Structures are given as C-alpha cells and as structure tokens.
Amino acid sequence: MKKETFSSMEWSYKELGLLLLLTLVIVPVGIEFLLHDFLLQIFQDRLYSGTATGFVMAVVFTLSVYSIAIKPKQLRWDAVGLRSFSGTYWKWMVVWTVVLIVASLLIVLLMEIFQIGIDNMKTESLKANLNWFTFSVGFISAAIISPLYEEIFYRGFLYKWFRMKWGVSTGLIISSIIFTIVHIPTYNTLPVNFISGIIFAWTYEKTGSVLPAMIIHGTFNGIAVILAAFA
C-alpha cells in the first residue's frame, strides 16, 4: 500500500505553486489577518474569532486541495493519504505521542529558563472566560478541526510532493519548515511545530496514511488545551 501511495504522484510545480500561494499569501492576508480582525470585531473574543477563522481555513484548504490537486488529475482522496492503515502501527502512535509531549515539555522548560514568552492569546482568552462551552469550542478547534485539514494538506499533499521530487529527508525537512512558518506569529510554538511536523510526516511515510498523524496531532492538541485551561 505504501509503495503504491508514493509512486502514483502526478502533481507538477503548478499545483505546488498554487497551493503555496494559498498557504503563504492568500490565507495569511485574507483569512488570518483581514477576516480574523473582522470576526474579532463581531465576537469581541479571540477564542471565538480564532475558532471561526480556523473553520474557514479548514474549508478553504480542503476545497483547494480537492480542486487543485485531486479533481483535475482524476484522483481520489486516498492520493493525499485518506486511507486505512495497519493496526500494528497503533503502538508507534502511542510512542510518537509520548515523544511529542516530552519534547514539548522540555521546550517549554527551556523557554522559561531563558525567559522567552510562552503566552498564547487564544489560550489566555480561554482561561479568562473558562466554562464548558468555551472549553468545548477551544478543544474542538484544536483537537479536531486543525488536525483534519492540516494533515491533508501539509502531509498528504506537501510532504508527498517534496518526497517524490527530492526524497524522504528533504520532504520531512521542507514540509516541516513550511508547517512551522505558517504558525508565525505564535513564536512560542514554533520549535514544537517543527518537531511535530517531522513526526507527522514520518508516520505518513511509514503507513501511507495521514490518519495516524491526525490522531497523534489531535491527541497532542487536545492534551495541550486541557493543560492550558485547567493547569
């Protein structure tokens, strides 16, 4: 299954260019800046405006991958890793989740030692108005919405594209760098974003499916929201 997954790539620089334009220009300017500010004026709350912005991004990214990379090539969703995976990989999913949690805790500790800010505006907004509704909104946004569309795009398309052109190592590094860049200006999460990008892409490489990465990603984000809200 994995060999078939990584040998059937039909994408060119055109698809890469269009989707990178979306990722690095259109989404940051049109959605994360303009739309977010508009929604912030409506909701008067960064948690709600951030969640709504994230939902719009999820729709835009998913539709863009479909309309640019899947439909024109007459491919199916399994071309971007939406397929089943071997049950024997569950133990590795547990291992990678633990590795990611431990690495993140070490990074936070180092940031505190060197007095680097670790505050997050959405997290602070959640803690300032914490109830079961706001917690549910933050949890769904971080643990369900973000992992779904991010894994389809950053691993299912982007990692696969670079992997097929320049190999596994280059694919891991470049896709993880781009995944890190798009999280600016949340600078405190950037080291974790890079490490998680490597782990998520590696699980795709080993299984031919983005589902394990979605599960690890969602579990990690969900734990982070719980700790941020109730710590």
Side-chain angles (χ1 to χ4, degrees), residues 32 59 68 70 96 104 121 126 160 203 212 222-223:
E32 293 184 286
V59 173
I68 294 173
I70 295 179
W96 287 122
S104 301
M121 287 185 290
L126 172 62
K160 182 176 180 179
T203 64
I223 292 172

Side-chain angles (χ1 to χ4, degrees), residues 4-48:
E4 179 187 13
T5 299
F6 291 113
S7 64
S8 58
M9 203 269 278
E10 303 177 31
W11 301 315
S12 67
Y13 284 94
K14 175 183 177 181
E15 289 79 30
L16 177 69
L18 289 173
L19 287 171
L20 283 182
L21 177 65
L22 173 79
T23 307
L24 301 177
V25 180
I26 297 174
V27 167
V29 175
I31 298 180
E32 293 184 286
F33 179 66
L34 297 177
L35 178 63
H36 179 265
D37 283 357
F38 173 73
L39 293 174
L40 183 58
Q41 293 178 16
I42 294 175
F43 292 113
Q44 295 296 310
D45 185 282
R46 290 190 178 276
L47 175 63
Y48 297 150

Side-chain angles (χ1 to χ4, degrees), residues 22 53 74 91 103 107 115 135 155 167 193 199 211 215 221:
L22 173 79
T53 301
Q74 298 183 331
K91 62 179 181 293
I107 289 171
Q115 298 183 338
F135 173 78
R155 262 58 69 176
N193 295 142
I199 291 175
L211 298 183
I215 295 170
N221 283 5

Side-chain angles (χ1 to χ4, degrees), residues 2-228:
K2 187 180 70 172
K3 184 177 180 181
E4 179 187 13
T5 299
F6 291 113
S7 64
S8 58
M9 203 269 278
E10 303 177 31
W11 301 315
S12 67
Y13 284 94
K14 175 183 177 181
E15 289 79 30
L16 177 69
L18 289 173
L19 287 171
L20 283 182
L21 177 65
L22 173 79
T23 307
L24 301 177
V25 180
I26 297 174
V27 167
V29 175
I31 298 180
E32 293 184 286
F33 179 66
L34 297 177
L35 178 63
H36 179 265
D37 283 357
F38 173 73
L39 293 174
L40 183 58
Q41 293 178 16
I42 294 175
F43 292 113
Q44 295 296 310
D45 185 282
R46 290 190 178 276
L47 175 63
Y48 297 150
S49 60
T51 300
T53 301
F55 179 76
V56 173
M57 289 172 58
V59 173
V60 169
F61 269 105
T62 304
L63 289 178
S64 297
V65 169
Y66 177 74
S67 61
I68 294 173
I70 295 179
K71 185 178 180 180
K73 300 293 185 179
Q74 298 183 331
L75 300 174
R76 300 178 301 178
W77 282 102
D78 62 358
V80 289
L82 285 176
R83 59 172 69 203
S84 61
F85 62 97
S86 172
T88 60
Y89 199 77
W90 277 97
K91 62 179 181 293
W92 283 107
M93 292 164 61
V94 173
V95 170
W96 287 122
T97 302
V98 172
V99 168
L100 188 53
I101 291 172
V102 172
S104 301
L105 291 175
L106 290 175
I107 289 171
V108 170
L109 179 61
L110 288 173
M111 285 182 163
E112 289 183 344
I113 292 174
F114 291 101
Q115 298 183 338
I116 300 173
I118 57 173
D119 293 333
N120 183 293
M121 287 185 290
K122 286 178 67 176
T123 299
E124 294 303 314
S125 179
L126 172 62
K127 293 172 68 174
N129 186 29
L130 182 62
N131 55 56
W132 282 109
F133 178 74
T134 56
F135 173 78
S136 298
V137 169
F139 187 88
I140 291 171
S141 174
I144 299 177
I145 296 176
S146 292
L148 286 173
Y149 82 86
E150 289 183 350
E151 295 312 313
I152 288 173
F153 176 71
Y154 291 104
R155 262 58 69 176
F157 172 78
L158 204 60
Y159 167 71
K160 182 176 180 179
W161 196 99
F162 287 114
R163 191 262 195 205
M164 290 302 301
K165 291 291 185 180
W166 298 317
V168 174
S169 298
T170 302
L172 289 170
I173 293 171
I174 295 182
S175 65
S176 298
I177 288 174
I178 295 173
F179 183 62
T180 302
I181 290 173
V182 298
H183 284 85
I184 295 173
T186 314
Y187 296 102
N188 58 306
T189 68
L190 297 187
V192 177
N193 295 142
F194 182 77
I195 293 172
S196 61
I198 294 288
I199 291 175
F200 300 153
W202 182 247
T203 64
Y204 182 33
E205 174 65 30
K206 299 302 289 184
T207 64
S209 170
V210 296
L211 298 183
M214 285 183 182
I215 295 170
I216 299 170
H217 194 161
T219 301
F220 175 76
N221 283 5
I223 292 172
V225 170
I226 293 171
L227 292 177

